[in-house]
Amino acid sequence: MAATAAILFLVYLFNLSSGYVLIDDNENLDEILTLPSEYSIKAERIDLIADLKLPMELWYSTEINRSRVDVYDGMVKRYYYWGEDGAMGSDGTVYMAYPKWTEKEGHTIFCSKTDMYQETPVDAFPAEEEYVYADDMYIASFTRGFIFEQWLPTSGSDIERCRQVLQYLIQMVPNAENVDTSKTYHEGQTVDVWKFTEDDDDTRKELVLYSHRTERGEDVPVQIEKKEFNTMLGSLEKHVIFNYDQFNPLFCEEDVDAEKEGLCEWTPDDFEGHMKMLHPAFHNDLGVAFNSFKKHHARNYQNKKEHDMRRDIFHKNWKFVVDHNRQNLGFKLALNHLSDLTPAERAHMSGGRRSPNPSATVPFPHSERQVGDIVTQIPEEYDMRLQGIISPVKNQDKCGSCWTFATAAAVEGALARLDGRILDLSEQSIIDCTWEGVCEGCNGGWPKEALKHIMKHGIPLEEDYGGYLNENGYCHLENVTEVFKIRGFTLVTPLSVSAMKVALYKYGPVIVTIQNNDAFNFYRSGVFYDPTCVDDYVGHAITIVGYGSRDGTDYWIVKNSYGEQWGEDGYMLLSSSNNNCFVLDEPYYPVV
């Protein structure tokens, strides 16, 4: 019992996991990481944060510039060819074979291919340029086959103390008497330890690679552990382990021949087509995907540091999208032009704020009882887009001007209901000229204040005032000959679904401010419902242009200001249940 207590105390003292502990001095070893250039190997990717395990088999050859990745025992196969001209003269071609089911034919294997833009081959091993051989004292413990590590000072007294402790612990572990404490072992074989660390702003990335040196002088990884920390919050945000097994240096060209999958059809040479062929679990697919993203969105970064930062953000969002879509929650997400932005940059775009004292110049004209009567007489579904009174979707870009776009869209719709004309009003004029009180242009503002401004000063056409700048500009309303004013604005009865439907059918569009998050930012299709929305001061202003129902779920039709590439051609179907994301807290419509 005393021995057990001593062991537990020592394990606690050194913050080590359960199991036996070994020291690796690794003297007189070649400190250059030499990864194999041709091989086949089996692997599993374990995401400890998402609790997901992905079995893989990989083939790789720099001799013939080809590689292949299978997942789930070959259920899905990807072939990568470099140096072959694709349909658009790209760096190569990626082929993907996967099962497809139809009621007529049942399961068949479908093969598609697309151009690939990446200069280096897809390798199973992530080779960081700055891997450092671990020549400091290294403590490794093994728990359920996973390796956890802790670096200790290497002063003489500490080394001797650790050796004594470790020797004692090893004596207490059955069948460990023949273990050499001068080496690190994994799965019964001696391994070398390599480490890569990178600090960038509030993120710290750590990679540890455990490799076995072959008689050919190649370092074959047996495990790679990746961790990513948010140093500001002190949280572990990413923890992935790759376990490798059954390494084979012999390579058969037939194994990477995509032609055996049959006739492969070309998919569109665009970002969306590429993303159907790739997966965020494969670290080398990241290079292909990010290059396609940069080309599609015309991204040019200042330097390598920013490039790598944007790539890591893109990768994190890609995994978020894939993990969400596999849950089948009723709506789908997709990567878009926001995928490489930091959370702070996306939050800056959400510049719509709710007033602490909601008020209006024109009272809502219906009592709760009247609303109950009217809502039974109006259509069950109503879409203003079908009435020809909604202007095209616009893109606010990185300026936090959503409050101006939502307001201008509502005024455009109200004026179109009046005389049938669809006007293109100037959001830039609201940014430049509405600085009374709390509004701060691209730093955010209140739709209510924008409505007050249009009541008093009016809003001009964009062609008269000048185009959207995506920046704060000089107010020059005095140079515009014609402006459009509203008589006032109305606050729809808050938290009332029926009142909102009545307002939309009789008076809309309606401006609302919601709490948006990553799921909202990457929305693609379906009825959006997110119970994780948090009611804080940051919000996003949108315009509601109708309502409807799909598969028994009621929704609002949202016109957003992220461009037509976002959502369903710039629109979202937002669930009307449970005041989702606080959509009914403060709804306004302009009175013309």
PDB file of all heavy atoms in Angstrom, residues 27-55:
ATOM      1  N   GLU A  27      21.992   9.983 -27.565  1.00  0.00           N
ATOM      2  CA  GLU A  27      23.274  10.594 -27.875  1.00  0.00           C
ATOM      3  C   GLU A  27      23.823  10.028 -29.186  1.00  0.00           C
ATOM      4  O   GLU A  27      23.552   8.904 -29.577  1.00  0.00           O
ATOM      5  CB  GLU A  27      24.257  10.325 -26.738  1.00  0.00           C
ATOM      6  CG  GLU A  27      23.828  10.942 -25.408  1.00  0.00           C
ATOM      7  CD  GLU A  27      24.798  10.615 -24.294  1.00  0.00           C
ATOM      8  OE1 GLU A  27      25.737   9.818 -24.554  1.00  0.00           O
ATOM      9  OE2 GLU A  27      24.618  11.147 -23.191  1.00  0.00           O
ATOM     10  N   ASN A  28      24.624  10.845 -29.855  1.00  0.00           N
ATOM     11  CA  ASN A  28      25.367  10.441 -31.055  1.00  0.00           C
ATOM     12  C   ASN A  28      24.445   9.983 -32.183  1.00  0.00           C
ATOM     13  O   ASN A  28      24.741   9.053 -32.912  1.00  0.00           O
ATOM     14  CB  ASN A  28      26.360   9.321 -30.725  1.00  0.00           C
ATOM     15  CG  ASN A  28      27.357   9.759 -29.672  1.00  0.00           C
ATOM     16  OD1 ASN A  28      27.815  10.908 -29.689  1.00  0.00           O
ATOM     17  ND2 ASN A  28      27.673   8.851 -28.759  1.00  0.00           N
ATOM     18  N   LEU A  29      23.286  10.619 -32.322  1.00  0.00           N
ATOM     19  CA  LEU A  29      22.382  10.292 -33.430  1.00  0.00           C
ATOM     20  C   LEU A  29      22.406  11.410 -34.461  1.00  0.00           C
ATOM     21  O   LEU A  29      22.627  12.573 -34.142  1.00  0.00           O
ATOM     22  CB  LEU A  29      20.947  10.106 -32.915  1.00  0.00           C
ATOM     23  CG  LEU A  29      20.678   8.853 -32.086  1.00  0.00           C
ATOM     24  CD1 LEU A  29      19.244   8.866 -31.600  1.00  0.00           C
ATOM     25  CD2 LEU A  29      20.930   7.592 -32.881  1.00  0.00           C
ATOM     26  N   ASP A  30      22.181  11.039 -35.716  1.00  0.00           N
ATOM     27  CA  ASP A  30      22.067  12.034 -36.772  1.00  0.00           C
ATOM     28  C   ASP A  30      20.837  12.895 -36.496  1.00  0.00           C
ATOM     29  O   ASP A  30      19.729  12.382 -36.366  1.00  0.00           O
ATOM     30  CB  ASP A  30      21.915  11.317 -38.118  1.00  0.00           C
ATOM     31  CG  ASP A  30      21.941  12.291 -39.285  1.00  0.00           C
ATOM     32  OD1 ASP A  30      22.045  13.516 -39.051  1.00  0.00           O
ATOM     33  OD2 ASP A  30      21.838  11.815 -40.424  1.00  0.00           O
ATOM     34  N   GLU A  31      21.036  14.200 -36.396  1.00  0.00           N
ATOM     35  CA  GLU A  31      19.944  15.081 -35.987  1.00  0.00           C
ATOM     36  C   GLU A  31      19.243  15.715 -37.183  1.00  0.00           C
ATOM     37  O   GLU A  31      18.701  16.811 -37.080  1.00  0.00           O
ATOM     38  CB  GLU A  31      20.482  16.146 -35.030  1.00  0.00           C
ATOM     39  CG  GLU A  31      21.035  15.543 -33.750  1.00  0.00           C
ATOM     40  CD  GLU A  31      21.537  16.596 -32.775  1.00  0.00           C
ATOM     41  OE1 GLU A  31      21.299  17.791 -33.054  1.00  0.00           O
ATOM     42  OE2 GLU A  31      22.135  16.234 -31.764  1.00  0.00           O
ATOM     43  N   ILE A  32      19.275  15.047 -38.317  1.00  0.00           N
ATOM     44  CA  ILE A  32      18.563  15.516 -39.500  1.00  0.00           C
ATOM     45  C   ILE A  32      17.424  14.557 -39.787  1.00  0.00           C
ATOM     46  O   ILE A  32      17.632  13.353 -39.949  1.00  0.00           O
ATOM     47  CB  ILE A  32      19.509  15.606 -40.713  1.00  0.00           C
ATOM     48  CG1 ILE A  32      20.634  16.601 -40.430  1.00  0.00           C
ATOM     49  CG2 ILE A  32      18.722  16.010 -41.962  1.00  0.00           C
ATOM     50  CD1 ILE A  32      21.655  16.676 -41.543  1.00  0.00           C
ATOM     51  N   LEU A  33      16.207  15.082 -39.854  1.00  0.00           N
ATOM     52  CA  LEU A  33      15.033  14.250 -40.127  1.00  0.00           C
ATOM     53  C   LEU A  33      14.996  13.908 -41.610  1.00  0.00           C
ATOM     54  O   LEU A  33      14.912  14.795 -42.462  1.00  0.00           O
ATOM     55  CB  LEU A  33      13.762  14.992 -39.717  1.00  0.00           C
ATOM     56  CG  LEU A  33      12.447  14.245 -39.907  1.00  0.00           C
ATOM     57  CD1 LEU A  33      12.400  13.026 -38.999  1.00  0.00           C
ATOM     58  CD2 LEU A  33      11.264  15.169 -39.618  1.00  0.00           C
ATOM     59  N   THR A  34      15.060  12.628 -41.921  1.00  0.00           N
ATOM     60  CA  THR A  34      15.064  12.165 -43.314  1.00  0.00           C
ATOM     61  C   THR A  34      13.843  11.279 -43.530  1.00  0.00           C
ATOM     62  O   THR A  34      13.824  10.106 -43.157  1.00  0.00           O
ATOM     63  CB  THR A  34      16.344  11.377 -43.626  1.00  0.00           C
ATOM     64  OG1 THR A  34      17.493  12.172 -43.303  1.00  0.00           O
ATOM     65  CG2 THR A  34      16.393  10.994 -45.099  1.00  0.00           C
ATOM     66  N   LEU A  35      12.808  11.833 -44.134  1.00  0.00           N
ATOM     67  CA  LEU A  35      11.571  11.085 -44.358  1.00  0.00           C
ATOM     68  C   LEU A  35      11.659  10.287 -45.657  1.00  0.00           C
ATOM     69  O   LEU A  35      12.311  10.719 -46.615  1.00  0.00           O
ATOM     70  CB  LEU A  35      10.385  12.046 -44.415  1.00  0.00           C
ATOM     71  CG  LEU A  35      10.095  12.803 -43.123  1.00  0.00           C
ATOM     72  CD1 LEU A  35       9.024  13.858 -43.349  1.00  0.00           C
ATOM     73  CD2 LEU A  35       9.674  11.858 -42.020  1.00  0.00           C
ATOM     74  N   PRO A  36      11.019   9.132 -45.720  1.00  0.00           N
ATOM     75  CA  PRO A  36      11.076   8.309 -46.939  1.00  0.00           C
ATOM     76  C   PRO A  36      10.384   8.979 -48.113  1.00  0.00           C
ATOM     77  O   PRO A  36       9.421   9.724 -47.953  1.00  0.00           O
ATOM     78  CB  PRO A  36      10.356   7.021 -46.527  1.00  0.00           C
ATOM     79  CG  PRO A  36       9.501   7.402 -45.370  1.00  0.00           C
ATOM     80  CD  PRO A  36      10.224   8.498 -44.657  1.00  0.00           C
ATOM     81  N   SER A  37      10.887   8.694 -49.302  1.00  0.00           N
ATOM     82  CA  SER A  37      10.342   9.307 -50.514  1.00  0.00           C
ATOM     83  C   SER A  37       9.392   8.380 -51.253  1.00  0.00           C
ATOM     84  O   SER A  37       8.742   8.795 -52.212  1.00  0.00           O
ATOM     85  CB  SER A  37      11.476   9.716 -51.451  1.00  0.00           C
ATOM     86  OG  SER A  37      12.229   8.571 -51.848  1.00  0.00           O
ATOM     87  N   GLU A  38       9.291   7.129 -50.801  1.00  0.00           N
ATOM     88  CA  GLU A  38       8.402   6.172 -51.468  1.00  0.00           C
ATOM     89  C   GLU A  38       7.998   5.103 -50.462  1.00  0.00           C
ATOM     90  O   GLU A  38       8.851   4.525 -49.791  1.00  0.00           O
ATOM     91  CB  GLU A  38       9.112   5.547 -52.666  1.00  0.00           C
ATOM     92  CG  GLU A  38       8.192   4.822 -53.616  1.00  0.00           C
ATOM     93  CD  GLU A  38       8.904   4.452 -54.916  1.00  0.00           C
ATOM     94  OE1 GLU A  38       9.757   3.552 -54.870  1.00  0.00           O
ATOM     95  OE2 GLU A  38       8.605   5.064 -55.957  1.00  0.00           O
ATOM     96  N   TYR A  39       6.705   4.848 -50.365  1.00  0.00           N
ATOM     97  CA  TYR A  39       6.262   3.895 -49.350  1.00  0.00           C
ATOM     98  C   TYR A  39       4.754   3.663 -49.463  1.00  0.00           C
ATOM     99  O   TYR A  39       4.033   4.380 -50.171  1.00  0.00           O
ATOM    100  CB  TYR A  39       6.549   4.428 -47.944  1.00  0.00           C
ATOM    101  CG  TYR A  39       5.905   5.755 -47.654  1.00  0.00           C
ATOM    102  CD1 TYR A  39       4.583   5.851 -47.234  1.00  0.00           C
ATOM    103  CD2 TYR A  39       6.617   6.943 -47.823  1.00  0.00           C
ATOM    104  CE1 TYR A  39       3.983   7.066 -46.992  1.00  0.00           C
ATOM    105  CE2 TYR A  39       6.023   8.167 -47.587  1.00  0.00           C
ATOM    106  CZ  TYR A  39       4.711   8.231 -47.169  1.00  0.00           C
ATOM    107  OH  TYR A  39       4.119   9.440 -46.946  1.00  0.00           O
ATOM    108  N   SER A  40       4.288   2.669 -48.705  1.00  0.00           N
ATOM    109  CA  SER A  40       2.872   2.526 -48.367  1.00  0.00           C
ATOM    110  C   SER A  40       2.817   2.337 -46.853  1.00  0.00           C
ATOM    111  O   SER A  40       3.762   1.839 -46.244  1.00  0.00           O
ATOM    112  CB  SER A  40       2.232   1.336 -49.084  1.00  0.00           C
ATOM    113  OG  SER A  40       2.807   0.121 -48.647  1.00  0.00           O
ATOM    114  N   ILE A  41       1.707   2.746 -46.249  1.00  0.00           N
ATOM    115  CA  ILE A  41       1.611   2.685 -44.791  1.00  0.00           C
ATOM    116  C   ILE A  41       0.144   2.776 -44.385  1.00  0.00           C
ATOM    117  O   ILE A  41      -0.679   3.342 -45.109  1.00  0.00           O
ATOM    118  CB  ILE A  41       2.419   3.833 -44.143  1.00  0.00           C
ATOM    119  CG1 ILE A  41       2.700   3.539 -42.665  1.00  0.00           C
ATOM    120  CG2 ILE A  41       1.733   5.176 -44.336  1.00  0.00           C
ATOM    121  CD1 ILE A  41       3.734   4.466 -42.052  1.00  0.00           C
ATOM    122  N   LYS A  42      -0.172   2.184 -43.251  1.00  0.00           N
ATOM    123  CA  LYS A  42      -1.499   2.323 -42.674  1.00  0.00           C
ATOM    124  C   LYS A  42      -1.443   3.354 -41.551  1.00  0.00           C
ATOM    125  O   LYS A  42      -0.394   3.544 -40.920  1.00  0.00           O
ATOM    126  CB  LYS A  42      -2.017   0.992 -42.147  1.00  0.00           C
ATOM    127  CG  LYS A  42      -2.396   0.016 -43.247  1.00  0.00           C
ATOM    128  CD  LYS A  42      -3.165  -1.183 -42.703  1.00  0.00           C
ATOM    129  CE  LYS A  42      -3.651  -2.065 -43.851  1.00  0.00           C
ATOM    130  NZ  LYS A  42      -4.444  -3.219 -43.363  1.00  0.00           N
ATOM    131  N   ALA A  43      -2.563   4.006 -41.306  1.00  0.00           N
ATOM    132  CA  ALA A  43      -2.583   5.064 -40.294  1.00  0.00           C
ATOM    133  C   ALA A  43      -3.980   5.208 -39.737  1.00  0.00           C
ATOM    134  O   ALA A  43      -4.969   4.744 -40.323  1.00  0.00           O
ATOM    135  CB  ALA A  43      -2.115   6.383 -40.898  1.00  0.00           C
ATOM    136  N   GLU A  44      -4.071   5.876 -38.604  1.00  0.00           N
ATOM    137  CA  GLU A  44      -5.354   6.305 -38.056  1.00  0.00           C
ATOM    138  C   GLU A  44      -5.182   7.709 -37.522  1.00  0.00           C
ATOM    139  O   GLU A  44      -4.160   8.041 -36.921  1.00  0.00           O
ATOM    140  CB  GLU A  44      -5.858   5.358 -36.957  1.00  0.00           C
ATOM    141  CG  GLU A  44      -4.995   5.285 -35.722  1.00  0.00           C
ATOM    142  CD  GLU A  44      -5.617   4.422 -34.636  1.00  0.00           C
ATOM    143  OE1 GLU A  44      -6.732   3.901 -34.844  1.00  0.00           O
ATOM    144  OE2 GLU A  44      -4.990   4.278 -33.575  1.00  0.00           O
ATOM    145  N   ARG A  45      -6.161   8.522 -37.778  1.00  0.00           N
ATOM    146  CA  ARG A  45      -6.168   9.900 -37.284  1.00  0.00           C
ATOM    147  C   ARG A  45      -7.182   9.996 -36.159  1.00  0.00           C
ATOM    148  O   ARG A  45      -8.363   9.708 -36.352  1.00  0.00           O
ATOM    149  CB  ARG A  45      -6.544  10.881 -38.393  1.00  0.00           C
ATOM    150  CG  ARG A  45      -6.592  12.345 -37.960  1.00  0.00           C
ATOM    151  CD  ARG A  45      -7.127  13.208 -39.087  1.00  0.00           C
ATOM    152  NE  ARG A  45      -7.081  14.624 -38.768  1.00  0.00           N
ATOM    153  CZ  ARG A  45      -8.040  15.283 -38.117  1.00  0.00           C
ATOM    154  NH1 ARG A  45      -9.123  14.624 -37.697  1.00  0.00           N
ATOM    155  NH2 ARG A  45      -7.939  16.572 -37.875  1.00  0.00           N
ATOM    156  N   ILE A  46      -6.731  10.406 -34.985  1.00  0.00           N
ATOM    157  CA  ILE A  46      -7.593  10.488 -33.816  1.00  0.00           C
ATOM    158  C   ILE A  46      -7.706  11.947 -33.398  1.00  0.00           C
ATOM    159  O   ILE A  46      -6.699  12.573 -33.036  1.00  0.00           O
ATOM    160  CB  ILE A  46      -7.043   9.645 -32.651  1.00  0.00           C
ATOM    161  CG1 ILE A  46      -6.861   8.194 -33.091  1.00  0.00           C
ATOM    162  CG2 ILE A  46      -7.975   9.724 -31.447  1.00  0.00           C
ATOM    163  CD1 ILE A  46      -6.101   7.355 -32.097  1.00  0.00           C
ATOM    164  N   ASP A  47      -8.893  12.480 -33.474  1.00  0.00           N
ATOM    165  CA  ASP A  47      -9.160  13.846 -33.019  1.00  0.00           C
ATOM    166  C   ASP A  47      -9.720  13.753 -31.608  1.00  0.00           C
ATOM    167  O   ASP A  47     -10.868  13.350 -31.404  1.00  0.00           O
ATOM    168  CB  ASP A  47     -10.157  14.532 -33.953  1.00  0.00           C
ATOM    169  CG  ASP A  47     -10.298  16.019 -33.673  1.00  0.00           C
ATOM    170  OD1 ASP A  47     -10.184  16.403 -32.490  1.00  0.00           O
ATOM    171  OD2 ASP A  47     -10.536  16.789 -34.616  1.00  0.00           O
ATOM    172  N   LEU A  48      -8.906  14.119 -30.625  1.00  0.00           N
ATOM    173  CA  LEU A  48      -9.314  13.963 -29.236  1.00  0.00           C
ATOM    174  C   LEU A  48     -10.308  15.030 -28.801  1.00  0.00           C
ATOM    175  O   LEU A  48     -11.008  14.847 -27.806  1.00  0.00           O
ATOM    176  CB  LEU A  48      -8.078  14.000 -28.325  1.00  0.00           C
ATOM    177  CG  LEU A  48      -7.061  12.882 -28.561  1.00  0.00           C
ATOM    178  CD1 LEU A  48      -5.880  13.022 -27.635  1.00  0.00           C
ATOM    179  CD2 LEU A  48      -7.702  11.520 -28.376  1.00  0.00           C
ATOM    180  N   ILE A  49     -10.372  16.141 -29.516  1.00  0.00           N
ATOM    181  CA  ILE A  49     -11.348  17.189 -29.185  1.00  0.00           C
ATOM    182  C   ILE A  49     -12.723  16.808 -29.718  1.00  0.00           C
ATOM    183  O   ILE A  49     -13.734  16.894 -29.011  1.00  0.00           O
ATOM    184  CB  ILE A  49     -10.905  18.547 -29.753  1.00  0.00           C
ATOM    185  CG1 ILE A  49      -9.525  18.936 -29.194  1.00  0.00           C
ATOM    186  CG2 ILE A  49     -11.932  19.620 -29.431  1.00  0.00           C
ATOM    187  CD1 ILE A  49      -9.487  19.161 -27.713  1.00  0.00           C
ATOM    188  N   ALA A  50     -12.766  16.384 -30.969  1.00  0.00           N
ATOM    189  CA  ALA A  50     -14.045  16.017 -31.594  1.00  0.00           C
ATOM    190  C   ALA A  50     -14.428  14.567 -31.332  1.00  0.00           C
ATOM    191  O   ALA A  50     -15.523  14.145 -31.685  1.00  0.00           O
ATOM    192  CB  ALA A  50     -13.990  16.257 -33.101  1.00  0.00           C
ATOM    193  N   ASP A  51     -13.515  13.791 -30.724  1.00  0.00           N
ATOM    194  CA  ASP A  51     -13.756  12.377 -30.437  1.00  0.00           C
ATOM    195  C   ASP A  51     -14.076  11.607 -31.722  1.00  0.00           C
ATOM    196  O   ASP A  51     -15.065  10.882 -31.810  1.00  0.00           O
ATOM    197  CB  ASP A  51     -14.897  12.220 -29.418  1.00  0.00           C
ATOM    198  CG  ASP A  51     -14.973  10.793 -28.856  1.00  0.00           C
ATOM    199  OD1 ASP A  51     -13.930  10.104 -28.878  1.00  0.00           O
ATOM    200  OD2 ASP A  51     -16.060  10.386 -28.416  1.00  0.00           O
ATOM    201  N   LEU A  52     -13.205  11.759 -32.728  1.00  0.00           N
ATOM    202  CA  LEU A  52     -13.385  11.092 -34.010  1.00  0.00           C
ATOM    203  C   LEU A  52     -12.128  10.300 -34.351  1.00  0.00           C
ATOM    204  O   LEU A  52     -11.007  10.741 -34.088  1.00  0.00           O
ATOM    205  CB  LEU A  52     -13.660  12.112 -35.122  1.00  0.00           C
ATOM    206  CG  LEU A  52     -14.955  12.918 -35.024  1.00  0.00           C
ATOM    207  CD1 LEU A  52     -14.993  13.974 -36.114  1.00  0.00           C
ATOM    208  CD2 LEU A  52     -16.165  12.013 -35.131  1.00  0.00           C
ATOM    209  N   LYS A  53     -12.315   9.137 -34.956  1.00  0.00           N
ATOM    210  CA  LYS A  53     -11.199   8.311 -35.392  1.00  0.00           C
ATOM    211  C   LYS A  53     -11.380   7.984 -36.864  1.00  0.00           C
ATOM    212  O   LYS A  53     -12.447   7.539 -37.285  1.00  0.00           O
ATOM    213  CB  LYS A  53     -11.111   7.028 -34.566  1.00  0.00           C
ATOM    214  CG  LYS A  53      -9.940   6.125 -34.957  1.00  0.00           C
ATOM    215  CD  LYS A  53      -9.945   4.815 -34.187  1.00  0.00           C
ATOM    216  CE  LYS A  53      -9.631   5.040 -32.728  1.00  0.00           C
ATOM    217  NZ  LYS A  53      -9.493   3.744 -31.994  1.00  0.00           N
ATOM    218  N   LEU A  54     -10.340   8.226 -37.651  1.00  0.00           N
ATOM    219  CA  LEU A  54     -10.403   8.005 -39.094  1.00  0.00           C
ATOM    220  C   LEU A  54      -9.312   7.033 -39.505  1.00  0.00           C
ATOM    221  O   LEU A  54      -8.130   7.370 -39.468  1.00  0.00           O
ATOM    222  CB  LEU A  54     -10.229   9.333 -39.839  1.00  0.00           C
ATOM    223  CG  LEU A  54     -10.295   9.265 -41.363  1.00  0.00           C
ATOM    224  CD1 LEU A  54     -11.715   8.927 -41.813  1.00  0.00           C
ATOM    225  CD2 LEU A  54      -9.843  10.584 -41.978  1.00  0.00           C
ATOM    226  N   PRO A  55      -9.665   5.788 -39.908  1.00  0.00           N
ATOM    227  CA  PRO A  55      -8.657   4.838 -40.398  1.00  0.00           C
ATOM    228  C   PRO A  55      -8.289   5.151 -41.844  1.00  0.00           C
ATOM    229  O   PRO A  55      -9.154   5.447 -42.667  1.00  0.00           O
ATOM    230  CB  PRO A  55      -9.369   3.490 -40.280  1.00  0.00           C
ATOM    231  CG  PRO A  55     -10.827   3.816 -40.388  1.00  0.00           C
ATOM    232  CD  PRO A  55     -11.011   5.191 -39.827  1.00  0.00           C
TER     233      PRO A  55
END
